[in-house]
């Protein structure tokens, strides 16, 4: 199910009359007049809602003698919401570009000539700054505390605070042996 199909389906489900139609169709297939009687709505209103539900793929129709019968399309309701949310968004590239622009804006605001002017007070901005500093460390290499302090001091004099914050953010790992850059952060 695409993002637009999911939006169309969710819009259909947000209407009480359409939800009642779906509940009725879950019990048995029905034609417009039978649904109108059952729900206390006019036939044109039921037809309008069925058209919306059909466009969203929630109901199917078939001809039975003189009547156009409507039935629930169970396949559309077997899609998990989590699967829809985990699909790549149509706007993923735009979101990535916005993230990159925001990151650049933060780095430009807090760094001057490669030095950190001040540690950001906002956590999300501090996270961006710390991630930038962590790029000075190599993956797979073990560093002594002195080496870590020297690398961080190239960016800011308060290397203790930055080192501690990098560990708490999961950007650096620490053990009795030394420090290392964490993977995938």
């Amino acid at each position: 199910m695409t993002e637009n199909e999911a939006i169309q389906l969710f819009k259909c489900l947000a209407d009480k009359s359409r939800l009642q139609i779906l509940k009725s169709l879950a019990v048995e297939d029905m034609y417009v007049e039978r649904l109108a009687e059952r729900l206390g709505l006019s036939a044109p209103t039921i037809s309008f809602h069925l058209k919306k539900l059909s466009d969203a793929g929630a109901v199917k129709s078939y001809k039975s003698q003189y009547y156009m019968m409507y039935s629930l399309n169970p396949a559309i309701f077997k899609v998990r919401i989590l699967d829809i949310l985990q699909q790549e968004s149509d706007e993923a590239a735009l979101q990535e570009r916005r993230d990159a622009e925001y990151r650049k804006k933060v780095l430009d605001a807090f760094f001057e000539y490669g030095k950190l002017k001040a540690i950001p007070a906002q956590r999300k901005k501090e996270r961006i700054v710390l991630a930038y500093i962590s790029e000075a460390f190599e993956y797979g290499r073990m560093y002594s505390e002195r080496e870590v302090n020297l690398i961080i001091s190239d960016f800011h004099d308060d290397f203790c605070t930055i080192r501690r914050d990098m560990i708490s953010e999961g950007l650096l790992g620490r053990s009795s042996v030394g420090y290392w850059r964490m993977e995938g952060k």
Side-chain angles (χ1 to χ4, degrees), residues 26-90:
V27 174
E28 65 179 307
D29 296 357
M30 294 186 197
Y31 52 95
V32 173
E33 290 76 15
R34 174 74 180 107
L35 280 166
E37 280 177 29
R38 185 168 196 187
L39 300 176
L41 298 171
S42 68
T45 301
I46 295 291
S47 292
F48 170 79
H49 289 306
L50 284 170
K51 171 78 169 107
K52 293 282 188 188
L53 289 166
S54 180
D55 290 346
V59 297
K60 299 184 279 189
S61 61
Y62 62 92
K63 191 105 168 139
S64 176
Q65 295 179 349
Y66 305 107
Y67 298 103
M68 182 62 75
M69 299 293 288
Y70 291 89
S71 64
L72 195 63
N73 181 6
I76 198 132
F77 296 105
K78 290 183 181 175
V79 175
R80 294 179 345 160
I81 292 177
L82 189 58
D83 293 337
I84 294 169
L85 296 176
Q86 290 175 338
Q87 275 184 347
E88 186 169 319
S89 173
D90 297 340

Side-chain angles (χ1 to χ4, degrees), residues 16 53 67 69-70 82 96 108 110 112 162 165 171:
K16 184 178 178 180
L53 289 166
Y67 298 103
M69 299 293 288
Y70 291 89
L82 189 58
E96 284 180 29
D108 288 347
F110 284 95
E112 189 171 83
I162 292 176
D165 291 349
L171 296 167

Side-chain angles (χ1 to χ4, degrees), residues 12 26 35 37 64 69 84 95 120 129 133 139 150 152 169 171 182 185:
C12 280
L35 280 166
E37 280 177 29
S64 176
M69 299 293 288
I84 294 169
Q95 291 169 355
V129 166
I133 294 172
Y139 287 115
L150 286 171
I152 294 172
E169 286 289 337
L171 296 167
M182 299 290 281
K185 295 286 181 176

